[in-house]
Amino acid sequence: MLGGKLLGVILIIGGCGCYGLRSADRLRKRVAQLVDIRLALACLEKEINYLHTPLPAALSRAAQGAAEPARSLFTGTSRDLQTREGITVNEAWQRNLRSLGSYTDLNSQDLELLQIISPQLGMSGVEEQVKLLAMVQEQLKVQEGKARLEEDSGRKLRIYGGFAFGATVVLLLL
Amino acid sequence: MPVPPGVLIRKDILPFLPANIKTLFQNLDEQHYSGLEEIRLRCGKPLSLRIGEEDFALDMRGRLDPHLACGYMVSAEDIQRAVASISDNSLYAFEEEIGRGFITIPGGHRVGLAGQTILDGNHPRTMKHFSGVAFRIAREVKGCAEGIARFITAQEWPPGNTLLISPPRCGKTTILRDLARILSLGFGRHRGCNVVIVDERSELAGTYQGQTQMDVGPRTDVLDCCPKAAGMIMAIRSLAPQVIVTDEIGRGEDIDAIRDCVNAGVSVVTSLHGRDIEEVRKRPLIRELLGSNAFVNIVVLSRRNGPGTIDNMIRWDG
């Protein structure tokens, strides 16, 4: 009987603690993912500005040095455009952004920011493309700053909060 | 063996059309494809096809109709999709081409663009808000210039300076391309000679990303997207041509460059818009050029019996 109770206590505290740890880890990963996407966009900007590389190839090259989910977003869009089935950049980008789904730690604001690129991407001159990509990178930097603040303030709270919440639940049940 | 026009158009042109328009082409038969010269998409206007001498609309069921109003109405989205497809979703990579008003696609076909022009000083830099797309189907007709080649090489090899006079859409570009191929390959008992094509609008060789899409012969170099006058001088300086082929002369600098070629002992084979010799002689620069006996062969083309009809071939002595 006592063994069962002890096991229950461990499970509740452990479960809540793990949830807190995972939540804290998502804050850290969000910052890293925003940095990766911004660096991939910087690479794309260079391909467009200096080499005038066509977009499917430029996206593919920018994806080479990027980590997930930036790599999936860029390679997926590039692959869709190369099928030559009349799909536009906007459609390909949105489709791949949606398919990032649950395996990204970006929040809805970050995703909305990434959505604003696609109607213009590829569809204007070099100067306008560089301006567009520079603007999005600037906005991503702002999001990075916010994400870092959130990480600093929220990380410990979530880790300790998870375990503390588990302990509270146990106390209430007892 | 020549590729049937239907196969060529399905392979080279249709992939660039929006999916809903592409399906309309499924009912066209080989006879229509063989005469198809242009596909025009104009925003808010019917989809029209130029077949031979006539314009036809393509209706919602993919049937040809001489009444344009019956055609499928092209939407702004259709235009946007077509432009995206032609430019590989990368308008920035085609700024120079768009500034010139057209993009060459694989196969050497030219796609003309209409829209709002963005100027850099007085020169068009690029376009935005596209409103029209015209696919001009490039055709390679090997051997179509053999009659002209026989005439211009009868007395000397490489041939003397040759001028083709032709109204638009009479096949002068196709004939010039074939002449370049024949002169480069060799003709009759003559060995081929070094030919340089100065291709200001990528029409003669249909160059796409540096690769000529048409057969212009084994001894031919192409100066693609190069202004005619500058190209002729560049060719003389660096490529040791025996023959320079270029299209649609007419400006003062073209005439000066032809004189430089004559002085350098390089033959020029070129063309000029016009119905006949009398008409082109009304232009002061051309009258002066013809008066100086710069050209020894003059060929007049028309469309009387279809594109490439030879109306007249003259040994010119002023």
Side-chain angles (χ1 to χ4, degrees):
Chain A
M1 185 68 181
L2 186 67
K5 278 186 179 174
L6 194 62
L7 185 67
V9 167
I10 291 169
L11 281 176
I12 291 170
I13 296 178
C16 292
C18 282
Y19 181 79
L21 284 171
R22 199 172 127 65
S23 178
D25 197 43
R26 286 195 67 178
L27 292 179
R28 183 187 59 79
K29 280 185 179 168
R30 182 184 162 216
V31 176
Q33 289 174 4
L34 282 169
V35 172
D36 281 335
I37 290 176
R38 181 170 57 78
L39 293 178
L41 287 173
C43 182
L44 181 66
E45 182 194 320
K46 286 187 180 71
E47 286 285 342
I48 290 173
N49 194 13
Y50 298 112
L51 302 172
H52 296 196
T53 312
L55 197 60
L59 284 166
S60 176
R61 283 189 205 168
Q64 280 172 9
E68 292 295 352
R71 185 188 295 173
S72 289
L73 177 61
F74 280 55
T75 41
T77 308
S78 168
R79 198 178 43 240
D80 286 353
L81 293 178
Q82 283 170 18
T83 57
R84 286 203 168 280
E85 285 173 353
I87 191 168
T88 61
V89 184
N90 190 19
E91 290 162 345
W93 182 269
Q94 299 287 353
R95 181 196 289 178
N96 283 280
L97 202 55
R98 275 197 302 275
S99 72
L100 291 182
S102 57
Y103 71 93
T104 172
D105 298 294
L106 302 175
N107 67 20
S108 59
Q109 267 189 334
D110 304 332
L111 292 171
E112 271 173 34
L113 178 57
L114 289 174
Q115 278 176 6
I116 65 168
I117 315 178
S118 56
Q120 299 295 321
L121 194 58
M123 298 314 288
S124 58
V126 173
E127 226 171 275
E128 289 80 8
Q129 290 294 300
V130 169
K131 280 182 193 166
L132 171 75
L133 291 167
M135 181 200 73
V136 175
Q137 285 174 69
E138 282 303 314
Q139 288 182 314
L140 280 172
K141 263 188 192 168
V142 173
Q143 288 298 103
E144 264 173 57
K146 285 182 190 169
R148 275 185 215 285
L149 281 177
E150 209 173 315
E151 187 194 4
D152 290 344
S153 62
R155 194 161 170 266
K156 281 182 183 166
L157 180 74
R158 289 179 194 218
I159 294 171
Y160 298 133
F163 287 107
F165 181 75
T168 310
V169 170
V170 168
L171 285 174
L172 286 173
L173 289 174
L174 290 175
Chain B
M1 192 174 153
V3 182
V7 175
L8 184 89
I9 291 166
R10 278 188 209 102
K11 179 173 76 74
D12 288 352
I13 307 282
L14 298 194
F16 291 96
L17 294 172
N20 51 333
I21 293 183
K22 207 187 307 183
T23 55
L24 302 179
F25 279 80
Q26 282 173 348
N27 295 338
L28 282 193
D29 56 30
E30 196 59 35
Q31 182 199 342
H32 294 131
Y33 278 121
S34 66
L36 186 58
E37 292 183 6
E38 278 180 10
I39 302 169
R40 281 189 181 266
L41 281 66
R42 294 183 178 102
C43 189
K45 307 270 168 56
L47 170 66
S48 72
L49 312 184
R50 181 92 177 170
I51 300 177
E53 294 293 319
E54 286 179 82
D55 286 329
F56 293 91
L58 198 57
D59 70 13
M60 293 290 284
R61 293 178 186 172
R63 290 177 310 198
L64 288 175
D65 196 316
H67 305 290
L68 291 187
C70 302
Y72 165 85
M73 285 295 165
V74 177
S75 66
E77 193 191 332
D78 291 331
I79 300 282
Q80 195 194 346
R81 281 181 183 278
V83 171
S85 185
I86 294 156
S87 65
D88 206 5
N89 288 285
S90 319
L91 286 182
Y92 59 83
F94 291 89
E95 268 191 303
E96 279 181 27
E97 288 89 338
I98 294 168
R100 284 194 295 266
F102 66 88
I103 292 177
T104 303
I105 57 174
H109 311 281
R110 246 172 44 155
V111 185
L113 300 166
Q116 185 184 341
T117 309
I118 298 168
L119 297 178
D120 186 5
N122 285 328
H123 299 284
R125 181 166 63 85
T126 186
M127 275 187 208
K128 63 178 182 180
H129 305 315
F130 293 93
S131 59
V133 178
F135 291 84
R136 290 190 67 183
I137 294 147
R139 291 225 162 77
E140 190 173 35
V141 187
K142 286 187 183 176
C144 69
E146 278 183 8
I148 296 172
R150 201 168 294 117
F151 174 75
I152 66 175
T153 60
Q155 293 185 336
E156 52 184 327
W157 179 271
N161 295 330
T162 301
L163 179 66
L164 305 186
I165 297 173
S166 161
R169 301 180 57 247
C170 289
K172 65 180 176 314
T173 305
T174 310
I175 286 177
L176 275 176
R177 183 187 303 129
D178 199 46
L179 270 177
R181 184 188 65 83
I182 289 170
L183 297 175
S184 173
L185 193 63
F187 186 61
R189 61 193 165 82
H190 302 294
R191 283 188 178 183
C193 53
N194 283 345
V195 176
V196 171
I197 294 179
V198 183
D199 201 359
E200 190 163 351
R201 293 186 292 176
S202 304
E203 270 188 309
L204 282 168
T207 307
Y208 176 75
Q209 293 184 347
Q211 303 286 316
T212 57
Q213 303 289 298
M214 308 288 180
D215 181 3
V216 288
R219 295 178 186 85
T220 301
D221 296 299
V222 179
L223 293 174
D224 185 44
C225 297
C226 184
K228 284 183 277 284
M232 284 191 258
I233 304 300
M234 279 167 65
I236 293 170
R237 284 183 190 152
S238 57
L239 294 168
Q242 290 163 288
V243 179
I244 291 178
V245 178
T246 188
D247 207 358
E248 293 177 19
I249 58 158
R251 288 172 298 187
E253 61 260 35
D254 302 340
I255 311 297
D256 291 340
I258 289 170
R259 287 208 178 96
D260 287 340
C261 291
V262 172
N263 292 334
V266 177
S267 295
V268 177
V269 177
T270 188
S271 69
L272 183 61
H273 270 300
R275 270 201 298 276
D276 51 37
I277 297 174
E278 297 316 311
E279 189 196 298
V280 299
R281 285 185 80 176
K282 287 177 187 162
R283 296 175 221 164
L285 286 170
I286 304 300
R287 185 169 60 235
E288 195 187 323
L289 188 66
L290 291 177
S292 68
N293 288 351
F295 289 101
V296 294
N297 306 301
I298 294 182
V299 178
V300 182
L301 302 174
S302 77
R303 209 181 159 93
R304 201 181 315 156
N305 301 318
T309 304
I310 299 167
D311 261 7
N312 208 351
M313 293 199 282
I314 304 161
R315 300 242 184 265
W316 185 253
D317 56 8

